[in-house]
Amino acid sequence: MEIADYIVASDGELAARVLEGDDHAFEYLFNRYREAIYRLFVQRLGRTDDADDLLQETFIKVYINLHRYNTAYTFGQWVYTIARNTFVDYIRRRQDGLPIDEHFAAPASSAPTPEERFINLQQRTQIEHYLERLTPRYRQLIRMRFFEEYSYEEIAAKLSLPLGTVKTQIHRAREQMCRMIAEGEQH
């Protein structure tokens, strides 16, 4: 696909290409929504220090769950929903026990269909491809944080590392993984 084709392709077309293994298409989707989602996080947080982390976490979730995208909604609505839910999770981790504005309430998830499980397996294979290219430490941190869903504090305790070190290394691992996905790293 030529660069001009990516630029004029609809979100749905790009999403379909990503599901077919075209990582360049994901880069174009990311670039279309990056700034709006980043601004959303900065607006909600009132600062920029965690907005980058939330943006990366959102787009990792978008990539992993792309097979669940329902074309009945615009792609932007779907990405926004993931960003909103990522923000809700962030607030819950930070202020455990405090009520959260119902405007940000996450919808209940449903069990995946057999087709979704198959596509999820394909996506997981692609993610595993990128994970294998990370250093063993980064790979372990990504698995613990995103697949086993440990909190930063739990990871720090399990690995006997300072909390700041865990946060920094997860941030770097996410950056590296996002860069590989965006660049279509295939080596």
Side-chain angles (χ1 to χ4, degrees):
M1 202 172 186
E2 298 292 321
I3 292 174
D5 295 330
Y6 285 108
I7 293 170
V8 298
S10 71
D11 293 343
E13 292 169 335
L14 290 174
R17 293 196 59 80
V18 173
L19 290 172
E20 294 168 359
D22 184 346
D23 292 323
H24 293 293
F26 186 77
E27 180 180 358
Y28 282 88
L29 283 172
F30 173 76
N31 287 333
R32 284 183 184 176
Y33 293 97
R34 165 182 57 196
E35 201 56 42
I37 299 301
Y38 180 79
R39 280 194 312 269
L40 171 75
F41 290 137
V42 170
Q43 178 187 20
R44 298 289 185 226
L45 293 168
R47 60 187 191 285
T48 61
D49 54 344
D50 290 331
D52 286 325
D53 288 344
L54 290 169
L55 179 70
Q56 290 173 4
E57 189 170 331
T58 296
F59 278 94
I60 287 172
K61 289 176 181 178
V62 166
Y63 188 82
I64 290 170
N65 294 294
L66 191 59
H67 65 280
R68 293 179 181 215
Y69 168 57
N70 180 347
T71 56
Y73 301 95
T74 68
F75 191 79
Q77 289 171 320
W78 185 71
V79 171
Y80 175 80
T81 299
I82 292 173
R84 185 184 62 216
N85 293 341
T86 300
F87 182 78
V88 168
D89 292 343
Y90 167 83
I91 293 300
R92 285 184 179 141
R93 288 190 305 262
R94 293 283 185 241
Q95 300 174 351
D96 197 31
L98 294 179
I100 297 174
D101 182 7
E102 61 190 37
H103 174 71
F104 290 112
S109 63
S110 59
T113 66
E115 293 85 8
E116 288 175 328
R117 281 196 292 276
F118 177 74
I119 293 170
N120 193 26
L121 178 62
Q122 288 179 322
Q123 287 283 7
R124 181 142 180 135
T125 302
Q126 287 178 327
I127 293 295
E128 290 291 335
H129 167 81
Y130 295 116
L131 279 173
E132 290 304 315
R133 278 139 188 83
L134 294 175
T135 64
R137 165 68 82 193
Y138 283 180
R139 185 169 43 248
Q140 178 185 29
L141 291 169
I142 291 289
R143 285 185 196 280
M144 291 177 81
R145 180 77 182 112
F146 297 104
F147 293 96
E148 298 167 15
E149 298 184 1
Y150 285 104
S151 69
Y152 290 110
E153 293 79 9
E154 291 169 327
I155 294 169
K158 283 191 174 287
L159 299 179
S160 301
L161 292 171
L163 182 60
T165 300
V166 168
K167 288 180 177 182
T168 299
Q169 288 184 359
I170 288 174
H171 176 79
R172 289 178 183 160
R174 284 193 315 222
E175 276 186 332
Q176 190 175 34
M177 192 152 169
C178 285
R179 197 169 32 254
M180 284 189 292
I181 290 169
E183 295 170 358
E185 162 88 19
Q186 296 295 323
H187 304 295

